[in-house]
Amino acid sequence: MKRVEKESFAKSFLLFFLSMGVMVAALFYMDFARSVLALEKTIHARMEICSYDLNCDEFAFDFVPLNAERLNKLVKSNDGALYSDFSVPGSNDYAMRIKLPKEAYKKRLTRLQKESLGRFAAALFAVILLSLLFAWYSLRPLRNALRMTEEFVRDILHDFNTPLSTIRLNVAMLKRRWQDSTEIGRIEKGVQTILDLQQNLRDYLEQVSSNAKRLDLSKFVASRVEMVRGNSPGIRFDLQVDAATVVVDPKLFARILDNILSNAAKYNSDKGVVSVRYESDGKKLVIEDSGWGIQRPEKVFERYYKERETGHGIGMHIVKKLCDSIDVDIEVESEPEKGTRITLDLRPVLSETTAR
């Protein structure tokens, strides 16, 4: 199950479970309140019978000054006991008080609570099962739509291969004739952009599988910087990555770094600088550029969001998706015309020796 499917399943389950759970809890609360009222009515009825025959061991007896307002009414005393006053034949000054001790009342109330909680737990378990069935059923249309979309995109990506191969072959032949042609260079860059987009789409569609390996962070980052440096003339890369070991899928980590480094170079100023450093104190990899900056960094991971005409608005969305798949937190700090700072929290993927 993919991340979006898990999220949809969890949200559907919680929505149904919370709504049904609140309703069931309210119903059982009202039912318990009615049960308590019925219990107290039963106790009062038994007190009334007891006032006639005095044959009831569960109650205590006493005589108190007559108070007409309390006659034949069940009252709860400050100590938690229940009592009721009944008139005494031939007496206008005293009333008979029949009292149920606190412990006896609490025992009956506790029994009633346990019965009610048992029924509530059974009902809540049924709600959980219904919520799971509801969430699974509601997920089916989404899964079918995702599957159809992915199959369509995969077919398109496969169909790209033939025309792209033809274009690259003809560009190579043309390049033999006109080595320094500006137009051929533009075609090559356009083809490379399409290839990058194609790879991004593949990464987006692939189920992320764990193929973690131990990597030397300094060497691995240096290799990715060198690759981007070759495609970014005029940009200076400042690399300060100390020795550290990470346990991560090389392919996924490379895609993350390639996208971030490419953006840092692409959206940089003329003769700008890209700084890559590892902060050993916080176990973070920081990539900072001196470029244009981002007006709304909080939206940079949204799919198709872009602030300029260049780009496709999907690269950083894929970076966030890949970071989530390897449990690496990513943060973006930026201001217009003041560059961008991207921080990768590597603590979850550092080897035990490095983490110490």
Side-chain angles (χ1 to χ4, degrees):
M1 188 180 291
K2 295 185 177 180
R3 186 182 183 88
V4 64
E5 293 175 323
K6 292 179 181 178
E7 183 179 355
S8 178
F9 181 83
K11 289 182 177 179
S12 298
F13 171 81
L14 287 175
L15 179 62
F16 188 83
F17 174 74
L18 290 176
S19 58
M20 292 296 295
V22 170
M23 184 177 67
V24 169
L27 290 175
F28 270 88
Y29 177 78
M30 291 187 292
D31 179 69
F32 177 71
R34 285 195 297 266
S35 298
V36 171
L37 183 61
L39 173 64
E40 293 179 350
K41 286 183 178 180
T42 300
I43 292 173
H44 186 258
R46 295 179 66 176
M47 285 180 175
E48 189 172 3
I49 295 174
C50 184
S51 68
Y52 292 108
D53 57 17
L54 302 180
N55 185 20
C56 39
D57 298 332
E58 58 184 327
F59 299 115
F61 303 92
D62 195 5
F63 290 94
V64 297
L66 180 63
N67 185 341
E69 295 181 356
R70 291 187 177 181
L71 287 177
N72 297 318
K73 293 182 180 179
L74 190 67
V75 180
K76 188 173 184 179
S77 62
N78 294 331
D79 61 356
L82 296 179
Y83 68 88
S84 182
D85 294 345
F86 298 94
S87 61
V88 178
S91 176
N92 296 324
D93 298 324
Y94 292 95
M96 178 185 293
R97 174 165 293 179
I98 300 179
K99 185 176 183 180
L100 179 68
K102 173 184 176 182
E103 292 74 15
Y105 175 64
K106 186 176 181 181
K107 185 177 180 180
R108 297 186 183 188
L109 196 61
T110 300
R111 189 187 309 121
L112 191 64
Q113 288 174 339
K114 288 182 178 179
E115 293 175 356
S116 182
L117 285 174
R119 294 194 299 270
F120 176 70
L124 200 61
F125 180 73
V127 169
I128 291 175
L129 293 179
L130 288 174
S131 300
L132 289 172
L133 290 174
F134 172 81
W136 183 258
Y137 182 77
S138 64
L139 186 64
R140 291 180 60 185
L142 174 63
R143 299 187 73 178
N144 292 335
L146 286 174
R147 190 175 296 108
M148 292 177 61
T149 302
E150 290 176 1
E151 289 176 357
F152 174 76
V153 175
R154 285 193 177 95
D155 291 341
I156 294 297
L157 290 176
H158 180 268
D159 292 341
F160 274 168
N161 292 331
T162 300
L164 285 175
S165 298
T166 302
I167 293 173
R168 297 182 73 180
L169 178 62
N170 282 275
V171 168
M173 295 174 62
L174 290 173
K175 199 170 183 179
R176 292 181 180 178
R177 298 184 182 181
W178 298 284
Q179 293 289 336
D180 299 327
S181 173
T182 303
E183 289 78 7
I184 293 177
R186 291 174 179 172
I187 295 174
E188 286 182 321
K189 290 182 179 179
V191 171
Q192 187 60 48
T193 299
I194 296 175
L195 291 173
D196 291 340
L197 179 59
Q198 189 180 33
Q199 185 59 47
N200 282 341
L201 288 173
R202 286 198 182 97
D203 290 338
Y204 184 78
L205 292 175
E206 285 179 0
Q207 283 278 18
V208 178
S209 57
S210 178
N211 187 24
K213 297 180 181 179
R214 295 175 63 87
L215 302 176
D216 185 315
L217 182 65
S218 178
K219 293 181 179 179
F220 191 81
V221 173
S223 66
R224 309 321 300 177
V225 169
E226 284 302 315
M227 187 201 71
V228 177
R229 193 201 305 268
N231 297 325
S232 307
I235 301 297
R236 180 168 63 87
F237 287 83
D238 183 13
L239 185 61
Q240 299 178 18
V241 180
D242 298 331
T245 303
V246 293
V247 182
V248 68
D249 188 320
K251 179 182 177 182
L252 299 183
F253 199 37
R255 293 298 301 166
I256 293 171
L257 294 178
D258 290 351
N259 272 281
I260 296 175
L261 292 170
S262 298
N263 282 346
K266 182 178 181 181
Y267 301 110
N268 213 321
S269 56
D270 293 336
K271 297 181 180 180
V273 179
V274 176
S275 171
V276 184
R277 62 183 182 275
Y278 174 65
E279 297 178 350
S280 56
D281 293 341
K283 314 298 181 186
K284 296 179 180 180
L285 183 67
V286 179
I287 302 173
E288 193 169 6
D289 65 65
S290 58
W292 307 337
I294 304 172
Q295 293 182 359
R296 303 186 66 183
E298 72 279 2
K299 296 177 67 68
V300 73
F301 296 125
E302 294 183 8
R303 192 188 312 174
Y304 306 130
Y305 175 76
K306 56 182 181 178
E307 297 182 349
R308 298 176 183 272
E309 293 299 325
T310 57
H312 306 282
I314 193 173
M316 290 305 293
H317 174 71
I318 293 175
V319 166
K320 183 64 168 65
K321 178 175 179 289
L322 296 177
C323 285
D324 290 341
S325 70
I326 60 175
D327 297 325
V328 169
D329 289 333
I330 180 171
E331 295 181 358
V332 177
E333 301 174 64
S334 182
E335 293 183 23
E337 309 301 333
K338 293 186 179 181
T340 302
R341 173 191 173 101
I342 297 179
T343 304
L344 298 174
D345 188 348
L346 299 181
R347 286 177 295 179
V349 296
L350 283 175
S351 67
E352 294 182 1
T353 54
T354 305
R356 295 195 193 103

